[in-house]
Amino acid sequence: MALIGRLFVILFGFFAACLVAGMIVVAAVLFPEFSDLGIRPIDQDALNVVFGFGFIFVSGFALLPAMIVVAVTEAFYIRGALTYAVGGGIVGLACYLGLIPFDTETLRFDGIVRRHLEIMTGAGIVAGAIYWMIAGRNAGAWREPPRPLRLPPPLPAHSPPPPDLPPPS
């Protein structure tokens, strides 16, 4: 039963991290457009749609690498915040490099834009930190047995007996 609850926490943490990473990617890619003083205010509904597409983009590409990181950290009880931030950065890097063509003759990626690489890696780091705040700090806790209940402390010597017990003879 604890595993089922843990899976829901993992999914919620993943979706929250993807939402934040998608917002970061969209805001960072659109920032040069925001900084132009000649544009009008942006329609909030259009911006929400763009953030939604950013969420779908990030969650679609990051699902497999992120689930590998989650499986490793859950299996080995890894709960460090830095581990999740580094894992998120690696997932962001993998997502970006998965979109770039790879030349097998020269063994190089063709067309890497450094700014976009930094945006995806930074969004992955923040997403890893968000995931750690929601689910990562309790990684592997579902396998620990529940703590036994402690007995209440004994009553003082001169106190009356509890009402549900017969008085001592």
Side-chain angles (χ1 to χ4, degrees):
M1 199 64 172
L3 177 60
I4 294 172
R6 184 72 188 150
L7 289 175
F8 281 116
V9 171
I10 289 171
L11 284 175
F12 180 73
F14 174 73
F15 287 138
C18 286
L19 179 66
V20 171
M23 291 172 67
I24 289 172
V25 168
V26 167
V29 169
L30 292 180
F31 181 72
E33 301 300 323
F34 288 150
S35 63
D36 185 17
L37 296 177
I39 64 171
R40 297 183 314 264
I42 296 177
D43 182 23
Q44 281 301 110
D45 293 333
L47 193 60
N48 289 339
V49 169
V50 172
F51 282 152
F53 280 119
F55 166 72
I56 292 169
F57 168 77
V58 170
S59 62
F61 282 103
L63 180 63
L64 184 61
M67 287 300 130
I68 291 171
V69 171
V70 167
V72 168
T73 55
E74 287 286 330
F76 294 112
Y77 299 96
I78 300 173
R79 297 180 179 175
L82 185 61
T83 304
Y84 287 92
V86 170
I90 292 171
V91 168
L93 178 71
C95 288
Y96 179 73
L97 292 179
L99 298 173
I100 302 299
F102 183 74
D103 186 14
T104 56
E105 292 180 10
T106 61
L107 298 177
R108 294 184 57 182
F109 287 98
D110 293 332
I112 291 180
V113 178
R114 183 175 175 193
R115 181 173 183 274
H116 295 165
L117 179 67
E118 292 168 355
I119 289 170
M120 288 296 289
T121 305
I125 291 170
V126 173
I130 294 295
Y131 179 82
W132 174 81
M133 284 189 252
I134 295 172
R137 58 195 174 120
N138 295 323
W142 57 273
R143 290 195 276 172
E144 295 174 359
R147 295 180 184 162
L149 295 175
R150 291 178 35 172
L151 295 175
L155 293 173
H158 298 293
S159 64
D164 57 354
L165 295 177
S169 18

